[in-house]
Amino acid sequence: MHIVIEGKVVTGFGIGAKYVSMPAYNIILTELIDEEPYPGTLNVEISKTYEELIKECNPSMIRSLIINGVERGGFYYWFGKISELPDEWVLIIRPHLSKHKPNVIEIISGRNLREELSLEDGKSLSIKIYCADSMPPQNT
């Protein structure tokens, strides 16, 4: 099962780059997207909260990690596709400890999506999100 949501690109806090680059998260994300993730995320403001999204489309989840004695937050995730790259899979996440408003999700890819697709703040995106109860689309 999948859903389609509309959103608009927004500027983040730069924290996604820090987490994507941490070795433990980098290994997990590389496994999920089957390539080295770009060290950053594309932030998208959607018309519903992540809690509403979770109720509508069941996510998978990575639990919090303990790194050097410090708890680092886990995240909910879905596989998906964005309108600008209909043939490429991306990872849509919502970190448990996010500082974003509840209606902001983050997209991870092996590329700098904002730069490569010339995505300015306010640019509309249509995102197809695959629920966890569907087959994971890895290697498709």
Side-chain angles (χ1 to χ4, degrees):
M1 179 177 134
H2 72 271
I3 62 170
V4 176
I5 59 171
E6 303 297 321
K8 66 178 181 176
V9 175
V10 294
T11 297
F13 304 118
I15 298 171
K18 172 184 159 186
Y19 279 91
V20 170
S21 298
M22 283 182 177
Y25 285 107
N26 191 272
I27 290 167
I28 292 167
L29 295 169
T30 298
E31 287 292 317
L32 289 171
I33 67 171
D34 204 28
E35 67 180 319
E36 181 83 16
Y38 171 77
T41 62
L42 178 67
N43 300 286
V44 180
E45 187 176 273
I46 59 176
S47 61
K48 57 185 80 189
T49 67
Y50 75 93
E51 293 101 335
E52 292 168 328
L53 178 58
I54 287 169
K55 287 178 185 169
E56 189 174 342
C57 185
N58 193 34
S60 295
M61 185 178 76
I62 298 296
R63 295 176 187 252
S64 295
L65 306 171
I66 305 294
I67 302 172
N68 297 326
V70 177
E71 182 177 356
R72 303 290 183 178
F75 55 90
Y76 298 106
Y77 72 91
W78 302 262
F79 291 99
K81 294 188 175 193
I82 59 173
S83 51
E84 273 67 14
L85 290 172
D87 297 326
E88 287 192 34
W89 293 103
V90 295
L91 192 68
I92 297 124
I93 69 166
R94 175 61 191 204
H96 297 164
L97 301 178
S98 179
K99 294 183 180 183
H100 286 291
K101 297 185 291 185
N103 65 331
V104 174
I105 56 174
E106 301 178 49
I107 299 177
I108 295 176
S109 169
R111 315 187 309 161
N112 180 341
L113 297 173
R114 181 183 275 271
E115 189 175 288
E116 286 191 29
L117 301 173
S118 300
L119 299 174
E120 300 290 329
D121 279 3
K123 167 76 174 161
S124 294
L125 288 180
S126 179
I127 306 165
K128 186 183 282 188
I129 298 177
Y130 289 81
C131 309
D133 55 5
S134 358
M135 276 304 268
Q138 296 172 339
N139 302 322
T140 330

